[in-house]
Amino acid sequence: MKNTEESRREKMDGGELVIRSRFLTWLDNFWYHYKWHVIVVLFFLVIAVVGLVQCGTQNTDDAIVTFAGGYTLSGGEIEQISNVFSAIAPSKKDGEGKLSVGLNAYSIYTEEQLRALATDPDTKEYSPYAFQSAKQVNTNHIQNFSTYVETGSSAVWLVSEYVYQYQNLSQLSVPLEEMFEELPAGAYDAYAIRLADTKLYQYYDALRVLPEDTLILMPKSFALWGESSNPEKYEMFRQIYCAIVEFETP
């Protein structure tokens, strides 16, 4: 017959096993039902952190092209796209090689895209919590982009149709007729060109990670502040913009 101490230990051990079993069962059920929600929230948290790091990083490139659209670029993709723009950029005035072109990126999604991201692709279950979390991050990105636009730091913009229309960017852009003798192929309207219709997009694989609805436009010069307020800098942006639009396959 077992003594009292042995019985007590068995009960304790059994109790611990029950507690662990319940916790693991709860954790397993939680992950099964909410794994996609957790993944979406973490995805947008990572985007937010990357955006903060990017804003706080000193950039030494000669010029910055800005992307704002429904895709989140990885660090490697940003580097590859920057290399493409640097490869076609004009030479520096001092003859010391080509201009180096960096890329500033803002991931900005439509509400429909956010709802799709908050829906489990396997179960088709929609998570309002994941959607609201993603929407808040998205709203912050829109506000950050709106602020950045006013700085005049970049004068070559790649934006989605949603961003173009939502931010009313045609009012800030140079008309195509002032840039080219004839309206370029792929013109979206009087101010923007569809990047996917350019030969540059079709030639370089690195650019094709950008959504097909991406538009390219050039903002007007800011008269009092920012890089684009400097006539020489603004001319540099104009040359980069034209190099993108008028690129010919080697």
Side-chain angles (χ1 to χ4, degrees):
M1 187 172 181
K2 297 180 180 178
N3 59 37
T4 305
E5 180 63 22
E6 289 176 337
S7 298
R8 188 179 67 82
R9 287 178 179 175
E10 286 183 359
K11 289 180 180 179
M12 288 179 62
D13 292 342
E16 289 176 358
L17 288 173
V18 170
I19 292 173
R20 288 172 187 160
S21 177
R22 287 176 179 171
F23 174 73
L24 291 175
T25 299
W26 173 86
L27 185 61
D28 184 60
N29 288 336
F30 177 84
W31 183 248
Y32 177 79
H33 290 290
Y34 299 104
K35 68 176 181 180
W36 191 248
H37 308 166
V38 173
I39 290 171
V40 171
V41 172
L42 289 176
F43 171 72
F44 278 93
L45 283 176
V46 169
I47 292 175
V49 172
V50 170
L52 289 173
V53 171
Q54 180 174 296
C55 291
T57 301
Q58 185 176 7
N59 199 297
T60 57
D61 292 304
D62 298 306
I64 299 295
V65 171
T66 298
F67 168 74
Y71 182 73
T72 299
L73 291 163
S74 68
E77 289 169 337
I78 289 176
E79 182 178 2
Q80 290 176 354
I81 294 173
S82 297
N83 290 340
V84 171
F85 292 148
S86 295
I88 66 167
S91 299
K92 296 180 180 179
K93 292 188 66 175
D94 58 12
E96 296 293 326
K98 289 179 172 289
L99 295 169
S100 62
V101 182
L103 183 69
N104 193 20
Y106 294 87
S107 54
I108 298 176
Y109 295 86
T110 65
E111 189 160 307
E112 182 180 356
Q113 289 172 325
L114 292 176
R115 291 188 183 279
L117 287 170
T119 302
D120 190 312
D122 298 322
T123 65
K124 306 304 179 184
E125 183 181 1
Y126 168 72
S127 169
Y129 175 73
F131 170 76
Q132 290 300 329
S133 298
K135 187 174 182 180
Q136 182 57 55
V137 174
N138 201 59
T139 299
N140 291 340
H141 286 187
I142 292 173
Q143 293 173 345
N144 291 340
F145 175 70
S146 298
T147 300
Y148 181 77
V149 162
E150 296 175 356
T151 66
S153 298
S154 174
V156 178
W157 296 344
L158 306 174
V159 301
S160 66
E161 292 181 13
Y162 168 71
V163 171
Y164 180 70
Q165 295 167 1
Y166 182 82
Q167 298 281 353
N168 200 21
L169 295 181
S170 62
Q171 299 299 310
L172 302 177
S173 302
V174 179
L176 295 177
E177 64 179 11
E178 294 183 13
M179 303 288 292
F180 309 99
E181 293 183 2
E182 297 181 0
L183 203 63
Y188 176 77
D189 60 12
Y191 302 91
I193 299 168
R194 289 183 293 271
L195 181 66
D197 288 342
T198 65
K199 294 181 180 179
L200 185 73
Y201 183 93
Q202 296 161 9
Y203 183 75
Y204 284 101
D205 292 340
L207 291 184
R208 290 201 287 274
V209 300
L210 298 175
E212 290 192 0
D213 73 335
T214 302
L215 305 176
I216 178 171
L217 49 122
M218 185 171 182
K220 299 172 184 176
S221 174
F222 285 71
L224 299 177
W225 62 85
E227 293 284 279
S228 61
S229 65
N230 182 312
E232 289 188 3
K233 288 281 189 178
Y234 191 73
E235 173 60 21
M236 175 186 66
F237 280 114
R238 189 194 68 79
Q239 292 179 20
I240 294 171
Y241 171 79
C242 290
I244 295 173
V245 175
E246 299 177 330
F247 176 83
E248 291 292 337
T249 305

